[in-house]
Amino acid sequence: MDLLKIFLQDKLHLDPEEYLEKFVLYENLLLGWNKKINLISRRSDSIEDHILNSIFFLSKYKFDNVKSLADIGTGGGFPGIPLKILFPELKLLLVDSIKKKVNVLNIIIDKMGFKDAEAVCGRAGNISNDSNYNMKFDCVISKAVSSLDNLYEWGNGFIKPGGQIICIKGGDINTELESLKKMKYNFETEVINFNLDQYNVEDKKLVIIKNCN
């Protein structure tokens, strides 16, 4: 995980040795389970790129004020678990609609000794209506899950007043932004562009949707 080490040190100004053991454990657990259940590509022999594409935005986005996070469409735990490794006190909810993946994620959570973290199975829009999760989070995050308007509909129920939905995107998102702006909700939108080729992070964007209600 040489690139990850360099990124943590040079871009986030962190000591890589404080976090590397956890990232390696996550990789070993995920790749081990991936042989049985399709969490990421079966050809993968490393998750370094997945990690870097989950945390790259921290180089420009201030995450320290986020104390609770719901990751919708998390798949193999991205980006939620890498963020939990970097911010151990973070309250983390991982949401996915595939039960087998959720079962594995809860095993990984247990094996990694995470506190205040859980994975739940279901559609995000339904889970956000549950009283245990409704308006309980500072932030919702998603990585390459769906269109921005869908993500707002699915994630808005999780966030507290003044909370944020942050979406990791790539490529041309102008059409998605136009559709989002047509929604009759009170929110503000910001787009931050990234191009970190040296870390295998190319043409990425972070779309921040701040709830103004």
Side-chain angles (χ1 to χ4, degrees), residues 85-145:
I85 291 172
L86 294 179
F87 300 90
E89 301 304 314
L90 183 70
K91 175 184 176 180
L92 178 65
L93 176 70
L94 303 174
V95 180
D96 201 275
S97 61
I98 300 176
K99 184 65 174 175
K100 289 181 180 180
K101 290 183 179 182
V102 169
N103 290 341
V104 170
L105 290 172
N106 276 314
I107 292 170
I108 291 175
I109 285 169
D110 180 62
K111 295 290 186 183
M112 296 193 69
F114 286 151
K115 296 179 180 179
D116 215 0
E118 66 172 320
V120 295
C121 181
R123 296 186 179 279
N126 294 333
I127 293 171
S128 69
N129 290 324
D130 187 310
S131 60
N132 292 311
Y133 309 114
N134 183 249
M135 299 177 66
K136 293 292 196 294
F137 295 88
D138 298 324
C139 186
V140 165
I141 194 167
S142 71
K143 177 176 174 289
V145 173

Side-chain angles (χ1 to χ4, degrees), residues 186-204:
N186 187 19
F187 56 74
E188 297 174 352
T189 305
E190 179 185 0
V191 179
I192 305 175
N193 293 291
F194 298 82
N195 202 344
L196 299 165
D197 292 355
Q198 68 272 39
Y199 301 105
N200 295 329
V201 177
E202 301 175 4
D203 187 26
K204 293 294 184 182

